[in-house]
Amino acid sequence: MYRSHNCGELTATNINTEVTLSGWVQKSRDKGFIVWVDLRDRYGITQLVFDEERTSKQMMEQAQNLGREFVIQVKGTVIERASKNPNIPTGDIEILVSELTILNESILPPFTIEDKTDGGEDIRMKYRYLDIRRNPVKNSLIFRSKVSQEVRNYLSKEGFIEVETPYLIKSTPEGARDFVVPSRMNEGQFYALPQSPQTFKQLLMVGGMDKYFQIVKCFRDEDLRADRQPEFTQIDCEMAFVEQEDILNVFEGLTRHLLKEVNGVEVEKFPRLLYDDAMRLYGNDKPDIRFGMEFGELNHVAQHKDFGVFNNAELVVGIAVPGGNSYTRKEIDKLIDWVKRPQVGALGMVYSRCNDDGSYKSSVDKFYNQDDLAKWAEVTGAKPGDLICVLSGDKNKVRAQLSALRMELAERLGLRDPKVFAPLWVIDFPLLELDEDTGHYHAMHHPFTSPKPGQLELLDSNPGDVKANAYDLVLNGNEIGGGSIRIHDKETQAIMFKHLGFTEEEAKAQFGFLMDAFQYGAPPHGGLAFGLDRLVAILGGQETIRDFIAFPKNNSGRDVMIDAPAPIDDKQLSELHLKIEL
Amino acid sequence: MYRSHNCGELTATNINTEVTLSGWVQKSRDKGFIVWVDLRDRYGITQLVFDEERTSKQMMEQAQNLGREFVIQVKGTVIERASKNPNIPTGDIEILVSELTILNESILPPFTIEDKTDGGEDIRMKYRYLDIRRNPVKNSLIFRSKVSQEVRNYLSKEGFIEVETPYLIKSTPEGARDFVVPSRMNEGQFYALPQSPQTFKQLLMVGGMDKYFQIVKCFRDEDLRADRQPEFTQIDCEMAFVEQEDILNVFEGLTRHLLKEVNGVEVEKFPRLLYDDAMRLYGNDKPDIRFGMEFGELNHVAQHKDFGVFNNAELVVGIAVPGGNSYTRKEIDKLIDWVKRPQVGALGMVYSRCNDDGSYKSSVDKFYNQDDLAKWAEVTGAKPGDLICVLSGDKNKVRAQLSALRMELAERLGLRDPKVFAPLWVIDFPLLELDEDTGHYHAMHHPFTSPKPGQLELLDSNPGDVKANAYDLVLNGNEIGGGSIRIHDKETQAIMFKHLGFTEEEAKAQFGFLMDAFQYGAPPHGGLAFGLDRLVAILGGQETIRDFIAFPKNNSGRDVMIDAPAPIDDKQLSELHLKIEL
């Protein structure tokens, strides 16, 4: 027993108790005749005291020589503190130490182990085991564990069975790139790490498992964008004998449970927004609805005037920025520069100031009179004091641009409060998505998503118009989950594969087992998957996922702490019958 | 909504209720004027009835044409059954069907979906999704889910944090072979899949996480023995500021919790057996103590007579087989043949019959008189009616041989009751193990295991004598968990690596990050890992793990259902800068 109590639990009720504590030296203050040491462990900080009168000379010296992050064990008596600290639970007491043992020394850490550290991202990642000692990281990991456990509690209570699906599966070249694993026992052959357990969970439904879930690692060998990890965690779920409504209800229940249990927040029934409406109102299939600033489409009021830019545009669309009329000309010019950055890509921005007296002053006064601009205000919902920002061009592009602007302005206006949670369902996603580069359609969700009843025929004539029972759960502008009702008969699946450009042979080679399974009484089924990393980060009130992952990789997919990936032995390579060709 | 109720919940209290059920056709009985159909889902079986009087002619025909494993939906009324079935919860009622919808047809399954199927192992694996519909597999998976959830509940309540450690780590060529994963973004370099999260959990302790657990997949590229899987699941745990006693108590508590919650069995405090005693009494470090038959070492009573075989043996050791005197000469000869099989490897077996009248009749009467044999009986604890079986030879070999015989006889005598649970701790394992082939010592547990205090010096003089605070949890003759107190200072770890034959450079290249971490105030720590697959199988009263894994691989590491591993595209290979050389 290295301790009788932890460093977070002793209070005034323990005064005069003999205790044993172990932990790390957070810091010490040496006044010569008295030494205070803050002893830290996962649970908190307890103050130790050594003083000339009551501490032996030898121990006094030992205490004076304790360095930061030394690991020590002390025995002593809980006493009342002279100067109390109301900010921590143990702030009323301190330990008068009678025995001090140094369990392990520490050299000087490369950065300070404080909530606000002096260590940059790179050094913190290299010494992640020290970074984890810091409250912001430690608490994020504890928070993640709590979320996972609450997910399991809720789904278990709802009758879901957690089934572990395999990690060593088969590569399917469609979609994102697989990580592959050479097989030594099967020469020249490879396993792949799963991008998701999609086919296995569907087979579990064919197998009658009825309600499945799993919190599971998935893998994607993508060129990493910021805040993407090559390995990530999903809450993966599937149900049989269900329609979309059943699934939405269960997972709305789960999300509400999490918000209540881990955030103490009660949320109303989640709004549902059609995909088409989400695109129209927010230019985005994962709208942040913590604030308004909905899009107003202006074609009917802004076109057919003399302004060629608008007349030639597929879409003219604006938003009202609350209080934006207070922006100086210079600020507005900066905003225009912002939308013209290559990351956003607008060619320009038209604006109209909504003056307090009800008049307007726009950047295109030459073409639009006060009545015209009043209509803009009406459509965008602008009020006196607001600023209307208008973009125009190709529909898809201009929506994405205005969505970026909307989010940026909301951020600047402080409208994205991390303590406010605004979940919603976006439903009725298109089945297929046009790849502008190749001109081919590919599955928007995945090839196993079922078209809406009666729309199968549209696949030939208007593939882009086919809608699916596919849905995303969106929270504060982030997609945290998505799913669909699946195809459950072999014929429909074959038609889908054909439309996605698979030959019959390719479909059979890659998904033959699934098509076979559909012949033996596959039930109607559907499901969804949550991205746990992001979900946890958002519930934790943050936008970046890295501190919610114990040992994350950097943007090159490297673990800089263990220095992986790394070369392997020639012997390992030859056992795998592989040769490297750079 | 495909159903108002499931197929396992309707009873007499629901009579006259209108219900909707969905499920699979388990079987149907067609009497011409009446058709009964057993409808099955995960939750049970409910009988449907169609009859000439109350069912339309068209539906009657439809019902008569339902094939096995068709997926159907029915609406109908719960009525009392004429001939009740007391063996199932729904046996008092049946559903008079008013509406029948075929949701999906099924071709004839390749084996019967019954508790006792006509399908062999191979075909069941190929169509695992059909195998999972069978109760024995389905219930095993549900059982596994329950065990996992109870593990999480218990450890969470004990303050453990579940932390996900990475799957893409670094290859360490020592120990078993790693599965490796080529990195596309880091040319010519590889990740490895973890054989266990060992170093990461130790780093979490350095990071102050204090109590960690994880239910996690691990990977070993071994030539597969029967009932081994290339991917397997561990309950992985680590604690800081603990001694062996603390760890044993926590995980004895966990095991007792599982036995109580999932098996309804209350178990006394677990016995603890020194490793040396386990080897002496059972010839085995994972003894099955559900029955006696402890070894009696006979050197002092059987040597120094005229029997050269025993005189020249390092160890003469016997067991008393309860009631074994009833074996015929022929049966005993067969037993002798059994121990001489190459899998066991004994050169022969000496026996002594313990007659009911207190006399003895041995196979070596020429050398041993009644007094001698009485001493054998005393040492082995044989009673009148028993048979004493004696093996001799090299100590390590003969112990293994007699242990095999002991287990075989217990099996034949029905002493290995799967409903009886006899856990125990085996403690004080040796730190090192001699590799007889190379003459080198390697770590018995792993290179991070701490030698017992004060025994570090022995490493030079008598490495084989050094004991560790290493322990196994054994249940019914199976090692279900093992762990140790770890090294937590850099110097000791360096000494260990040296003794295990690492050069300083090798140690630094492979475990430099861990040695570095030990410099920054590593706390004393230790832990253990349970093998979940085996634990679940044993709690489920079975010795084979395969039915407790949803999608297991065969002995060649293949998933025969999805046909993996498989060749990959040339494009994939070239992106990874790899070439296959067969």
Side-chain angles (χ1 to χ4, degrees):
Chain A
M1 272 300 197
Y2 277 93
R3 59 191 172 198
S4 62
H5 297 77
N6 67 46
C7 295
E9 62 181 323
L10 294 170
T11 62
T13 62
N14 302 98
I15 283 170
N16 292 326
T17 313
E18 293 295 311
V19 298
T20 307
L21 298 182
S22 292
W24 285 265
V25 173
Q26 175 73 24
K27 64 177 176 197
S28 57
R29 278 168 299 149
D30 180 2
K31 298 271 180 195
F33 62 98
I34 191 162
V35 178
W36 286 285
V37 171
D38 278 357
L39 188 68
R40 185 197 71 231
D41 66 10
R42 184 183 112 195
Y43 310 92
I45 284 182
T46 298
Q47 181 166 296
L48 313 177
V49 62
F50 304 82
D51 73 30
E52 273 184 342
E53 280 175 36
R54 294 173 289 185
T55 306
S56 73
K57 192 154 175 259
Q58 193 200 347
M59 202 195 298
M60 202 68 196
E61 262 174 37
Q62 234 188 336
Q64 282 163 329
N65 288 315
L66 289 174
R68 283 192 178 228
E69 301 307 315
F70 273 39
V71 184
I72 62 172
Q73 182 189 42
V74 295
K75 290 182 200 291
T77 312
V78 182
I79 59 173
E80 191 174 357
R81 238 200 245 195
S83 143
K84 300 196 170 48
N85 178 352
N87 299 321
I88 59 172
T90 62
D92 287 348
I93 58 97
E94 61 192 358
I95 311 296
L96 179 64
V97 176
S98 57
E99 220 180 299
L100 166 64
T101 312
I102 294 173
L103 298 173
N104 215 345
E105 300 195 345
S106 172
I107 60 174
L108 192 70
F111 51 85
T112 54
I113 312 296
E114 307 276 358
D115 290 5
K116 289 206 185 289
T117 180
D118 58 357
E121 176 90 358
D122 289 352
I123 192 96
R124 293 199 294 114
M125 287 303 147
K126 182 163 165 57
Y127 297 92
R128 184 64 163 176
Y129 45 87
L130 298 178
D131 202 25
I132 290 172
R133 289 188 192 162
R134 297 170 53 243
N135 284 321
V137 182
K138 180 193 76 179
N139 291 338
S140 296
L141 296 179
I142 293 174
F143 184 79
R144 181 186 182 113
S145 179
K146 174 154 195 206
V147 171
S148 295
Q149 184 64 4
E150 287 299 338
V151 168
R152 289 191 163 98
N153 287 345
Y154 186 87
L155 292 176
S156 297
K157 233 177 51 192
E158 292 285 319
F160 284 77
I161 304 298
E162 185 161 22
V163 180
E164 296 173 48
T165 53
Y167 278 74
L168 296 173
I169 65 167
K170 190 154 105 171
S171 188
T172 54
E174 311 311 311
R177 271 191 211 89
D178 288 320
F179 282 105
V180 297
V181 182
S183 167
R184 183 179 53 86
M185 296 218 284
N186 302 272
E187 297 178 9
Q189 301 191 359
F190 293 74
Y191 302 98
L193 299 178
Q195 295 185 30
S196 90
Q198 182 63 33
T199 49
F200 290 96
K201 70 176 175 177
Q202 291 193 241
L203 291 173
L204 286 172
M205 294 305 103
V206 176
M209 203 40 70
D210 206 80
K211 291 177 178 179
Y212 145 91
F213 86 103
Q214 189 182 191
I215 298 185
V216 61
K217 274 278 175 80
C218 301
F219 304 85
R220 249 171 239 181
D221 185 12
E222 290 175 301
D223 298 317
L224 300 177
R225 285 182 278 154
D227 218 29
R228 279 274 180 114
Q229 293 281 321
E231 51 177 306
F232 54 97
T233 306
Q234 281 192 353
I235 307 169
D236 192 50
C237 305
E238 197 80 4
M239 303 170 77
F241 299 113
V242 289
E243 290 159 339
Q244 171 171 303
E245 189 63 26
D246 305 307
I247 296 177
L248 299 194
N249 285 336
V250 169
F251 294 97
E252 186 164 325
L254 169 63
T255 311
R256 191 176 281 116
H257 174 81
L258 292 178
L259 284 167
K260 190 169 163 204
E261 292 301 318
V262 305
N263 294 93
V265 172
E266 304 256 8
V267 182
E268 302 280 293
K269 191 156 171 53
F270 297 0
R272 295 183 187 179
L273 201 57
L274 296 178
Y275 170 86
D276 287 345
D277 289 340
M279 296 308 289
R280 186 172 52 78
L281 292 171
Y282 303 99
N284 197 311
D285 60 4
K286 45 184 182 187
D288 190 339
I289 59 166
R290 281 175 293 184
F291 55 95
M293 295 172 72
E294 292 179 0
F295 288 14
E297 298 197 343
L298 299 167
N299 290 32
H300 61 295
V301 293
Q303 287 183 331
H304 311 299
K305 309 280 166 175
D306 279 346
F307 189 44
V309 174
F310 282 2
N311 287 345
N312 297 325
E314 185 184 7
L315 178 67
V316 181
V317 59
I319 51 173
V321 185
N325 190 27
S326 65
Y327 293 178
T328 63
R329 174 65 198 257
K330 207 170 153 192
E331 283 172 325
I332 294 179
D333 283 346
K334 274 197 176 168
L335 215 51
I336 295 174
D337 288 343
W338 191 90
V339 298
K340 286 164 85 174
R341 299 185 324 152
Q343 299 93 317
V344 182
L347 293 173
M349 185 180 94
V350 165
Y351 64 87
S352 171
R353 291 175 176 279
C354 306
N355 297 318
D356 290 337
D357 63 4
S359 71
Y360 302 94
K361 177 82 192 77
S362 83
S363 59
V364 284
D365 279 353
K366 207 164 112 190
F367 307 105
Y368 299 95
N369 61 29
Q370 291 290 310
D371 282 350
D372 294 331
L373 297 174
K375 282 181 194 145
W376 293 16
E378 193 189 326
V379 173
T380 59
K383 287 186 285 290
D386 291 355
L387 177 76
I388 301 170
C389 297
V390 182
L391 301 182
S392 63
D394 169 76
K395 185 172 76 177
N396 291 337
K397 283 187 186 150
V398 79
R399 280 178 169 174
Q401 292 157 5
L402 192 62
S403 171
L405 179 62
R406 174 177 178 269
M407 294 298 271
E408 173 68 17
L409 287 168
E411 190 69 49
R412 294 187 193 180
L413 291 166
L415 300 174
R416 307 193 65 199
D417 181 351
K419 301 253 187 272
V420 173
F421 295 98
L424 79 154
W425 290 105
V426 177
I427 61 173
D428 290 5
F429 270 76
L431 183 68
L432 303 173
E433 193 173 35
L434 185 66
D435 184 331
E436 310 239 329
D437 294 337
T438 64
H440 291 303
Y441 281 93
H442 59 248
M444 190 145 185
H445 189 47
H446 54 51
F448 314 109
T449 298
S450 174
K452 275 195 179 276
Q455 301 205 345
L456 200 57
E457 298 67 34
L458 270 177
L459 269 180
D460 285 317
S461 52
N462 296 72
D465 288 351
V466 180
K467 290 288 194 289
N469 278 326
Y471 33 81
D472 276 357
L473 182 59
V474 175
L475 183 56
N476 294 2
N478 293 278
E479 178 210 325
I480 58 163
S484 63
I485 297 296
R486 326 298 185 186
I487 296 165
H488 68 280
D489 65 288
K490 192 178 174 172
E491 291 69 32
T492 310
Q493 190 64 66
I495 292 171
M496 267 304 287
F497 281 136
K498 204 186 93 200
H499 273 276
L500 296 172
F502 285 70
T503 66
E504 250 181 71
E505 292 69 35
E506 285 167 345
K508 194 172 150 59
Q510 286 173 43
F511 299 109
F513 59 96
L514 187 67
M515 316 262 287
D516 283 350
F518 285 171
Q519 299 180 97
Y520 294 101
H525 62 286
L528 95 181
F530 284 110
L532 181 66
D533 305 295
R534 180 139 328 269
L535 173 63
V536 169
I538 295 169
L539 293 178
Q542 298 194 25
E543 296 267 319
T544 56
I545 62 175
R546 210 165 278 187
D547 276 352
F548 293 85
I549 298 172
F551 300 101
K553 294 190 172 53
N554 72 11
N555 284 346
S556 317
R558 293 199 71 83
D559 182 327
V560 296
M561 180 186 70
I562 63 170
D563 194 24
I568 59 173
D569 278 5
D570 287 343
K571 179 160 168 277
Q572 281 175 289
L573 278 174
S574 79
E575 280 185 340
L576 297 169
H577 305 279
L578 288 180
K579 203 179 146 185
I580 295 173
E581 287 199 322
L582 294 185
Chain B
M1 271 301 197
Y2 278 93
R3 59 192 172 196
S4 61
H5 296 77
N6 67 47
C7 294
E9 63 181 324
L10 293 169
T11 62
T13 61
N14 302 98
I15 283 170
N16 292 328
T17 313
E18 294 294 311
V19 297
T20 308
L21 298 182
S22 292
W24 286 265
V25 173
Q26 175 71 24
K27 62 177 180 198
S28 58
R29 278 168 301 150
D30 180 2
K31 299 272 181 195
F33 61 99
I34 190 163
V35 178
W36 286 283
V37 171
D38 278 356
L39 188 68
R40 186 197 71 232
D41 67 10
R42 183 183 113 195
Y43 311 92
I45 283 182
T46 297
Q47 182 168 292
L48 312 178
V49 61
F50 304 81
D51 73 29
E52 276 183 341
E53 280 175 35
R54 294 174 288 185
T55 305
S56 73
K57 192 155 174 256
Q58 191 198 352
M59 201 193 301
M60 201 72 194
E61 261 174 39
Q62 231 188 341
Q64 281 163 331
N65 287 316
L66 289 174
R68 282 190 179 230
E69 302 305 317
F70 274 39
V71 184
I72 62 173
Q73 181 188 43
V74 295
K75 291 184 201 286
T77 312
V78 182
I79 60 173
E80 190 173 0
R81 237 199 247 194
S83 141
K84 299 196 171 50
N85 177 354
N87 299 320
I88 58 172
T90 62
D92 287 349
I93 59 97
E94 60 191 1
I95 311 296
L96 180 64
V97 176
S98 58
E99 218 179 302
L100 166 63
T101 312
I102 294 173
L103 298 174
N104 215 344
E105 301 196 348
S106 173
I107 59 174
L108 193 70
F111 51 86
T112 54
I113 312 296
E114 306 276 356
D115 290 6
K116 288 204 186 292
T117 180
D118 58 357
E121 176 90 358
D122 289 352
I123 192 95
R124 292 199 294 114
M125 288 302 146
K126 182 163 164 56
Y127 297 92
R128 183 64 162 175
Y129 45 86
L130 297 178
D131 202 25
I132 290 173
R133 289 187 192 163
R134 298 170 52 243
N135 284 320
V137 182
K138 179 194 76 180
N139 291 338
S140 296
L141 295 179
I142 294 175
F143 184 79
R144 181 185 181 114
S145 179
K146 174 156 194 205
V147 171
S148 295
Q149 185 63 5
E150 287 298 339
V151 168
R152 290 192 162 98
N153 287 345
Y154 187 87
L155 292 176
S156 297
K157 233 177 51 191
E158 292 285 319
F160 284 77
I161 305 297
E162 185 160 24
V163 180
E164 295 173 49
T165 54
Y167 277 75
L168 297 173
I169 64 166
K170 189 154 105 171
S171 186
T172 54
E174 312 310 312
R177 270 191 213 87
D178 288 321
F179 282 106
V180 296
V181 183
S183 167
R184 181 179 54 85
M185 292 217 287
N186 301 271
E187 296 180 9
Q189 301 191 357
F190 293 75
Y191 302 99
L193 300 177
Q195 296 185 30
S196 90
Q198 183 63 32
T199 48
F200 289 97
K201 69 176 173 174
Q202 292 193 240
L203 291 173
L204 286 172
M205 294 305 104
V206 176
M209 204 39 71
D210 207 79
K211 291 177 176 181
Y212 144 91
F213 86 103
Q214 187 183 190
I215 298 185
V216 61
K217 274 280 176 79
C218 302
F219 304 85
R220 252 172 237 180
D221 184 12
E222 289 176 301
D223 298 317
L224 300 177
R225 285 183 277 156
D227 217 27
R228 279 272 182 114
Q229 293 280 321
E231 51 177 305
F232 55 97
T233 306
Q234 283 192 352
I235 308 169
D236 193 49
C237 305
E238 198 80 2
M239 303 169 76
F241 300 112
V242 289
E243 289 158 341
Q244 172 171 302
E245 189 63 27
D246 305 307
I247 296 177
L248 299 193
N249 286 336
V250 169
F251 294 97
E252 186 165 326
L254 169 62
T255 311
R256 190 176 281 116
H257 174 82
L258 293 178
L259 284 166
K260 192 171 161 201
E261 292 300 318
V262 305
N263 294 92
V265 171
E266 303 256 9
V267 182
E268 303 280 294
K269 190 158 172 50
F270 298 1
R272 295 183 188 180
L273 201 58
L274 296 177
Y275 171 86
D276 287 346
D277 289 341
M279 296 308 289
R280 186 172 52 77
L281 293 170
Y282 303 98
N284 198 309
D285 61 4
K286 45 183 183 187
D288 190 339
I289 58 166
R290 281 175 293 184
F291 56 95
M293 294 174 72
E294 291 179 1
F295 288 13
E297 298 198 343
L298 299 167
N299 289 33
H300 62 296
V301 294
Q303 288 184 328
H304 310 298
K305 308 282 167 176
D306 279 346
F307 188 44
V309 173
F310 281 4
N311 288 345
N312 296 326
E314 186 185 5
L315 179 66
V316 182
V317 60
I319 50 172
V321 185
N325 190 26
S326 66
Y327 292 179
T328 63
R329 175 61 199 259
K330 208 170 150 188
E331 284 172 324
I332 293 180
D333 283 346
K334 274 198 173 164
L335 215 52
I336 294 174
D337 288 344
W338 191 89
V339 297
K340 286 163 86 174
R341 300 185 324 153
Q343 298 94 317
V344 182
L347 294 173
M349 184 181 93
V350 165
Y351 64 88
S352 173
R353 292 176 174 281
C354 307
N355 296 319
D356 288 339
D357 64 3
S359 70
Y360 302 95
K361 178 82 192 77
S362 83
S363 58
V364 285
D365 278 353
K366 210 163 112 191
F367 306 107
Y368 299 92
N369 61 28
Q370 291 289 308
D371 283 351
D372 294 332
L373 298 174
K375 282 181 194 146
W376 293 18
E378 195 190 325
V379 172
T380 59
K383 287 186 282 292
D386 290 356
L387 176 75
I388 302 172
C389 297
V390 182
L391 300 181
S392 63
D394 169 76
K395 187 172 76 177
N396 290 337
K397 284 187 185 150
V398 79
R399 279 177 169 173
Q401 291 156 5
L402 192 62
S403 172
L405 178 62
R406 175 177 176 269
M407 293 298 272
E408 173 69 16
L409 287 167
E411 191 70 48
R412 295 188 193 180
L413 292 166
L415 300 174
R416 306 194 64 198
D417 181 351
K419 300 253 188 273
V420 173
F421 295 97
L424 78 155
W425 290 105
V426 176
I427 61 173
D428 289 6
F429 270 75
L431 182 69
L432 303 173
E433 193 173 35
L434 185 65
D435 184 329
E436 310 240 330
D437 294 338
T438 63
H440 290 303
Y441 281 93
H442 58 248
M444 191 146 184
H445 189 49
H446 55 50
F448 314 108
T449 299
S450 174
K452 273 193 182 276
Q455 298 204 346
L456 200 58
E457 298 68 33
L458 269 176
L459 269 180
D460 286 316
S461 52
N462 295 74
D465 287 352
V466 179
K467 291 288 196 290
N469 278 327
Y471 33 81
D472 276 357
L473 182 59
V474 175
L475 183 57
N476 295 3
N478 293 278
E479 179 210 324
I480 57 163
S484 63
I485 298 296
R486 326 298 185 187
I487 296 166
H488 67 280
D489 65 290
K490 191 179 177 175
E491 291 71 31
T492 311
Q493 191 64 67
I495 292 171
M496 269 303 289
F497 280 137
K498 205 187 91 199
H499 273 277
L500 296 171
F502 285 71
T503 65
E504 250 181 70
E505 290 69 37
E506 285 168 345
K508 194 173 150 59
Q510 286 173 42
F511 299 108
F513 59 97
L514 187 66
M515 316 263 287
D516 282 351
F518 285 171
Q519 298 180 99
Y520 294 101
H525 62 287
L528 96 182
F530 284 110
L532 180 66
D533 306 296
R534 180 141 326 271
L535 173 64
V536 169
I538 295 169
L539 293 178
Q542 297 195 28
E543 297 266 320
T544 57
I545 61 175
R546 209 166 279 187
D547 277 352
F548 292 85
I549 298 173
F551 300 102
K553 293 189 172 57
N554 72 11
N555 284 346
S556 316
R558 291 199 74 81
D559 182 326
V560 296
M561 180 185 74
I562 62 171
D563 195 23
I568 59 173
D569 277 6
D570 287 343
K571 179 160 167 279
Q572 281 176 289
L573 277 174
S574 80
E575 279 185 339
L576 297 169
H577 304 280
L578 288 180
K579 202 180 149 184
I580 295 174
E581 287 200 320
L582 294 185

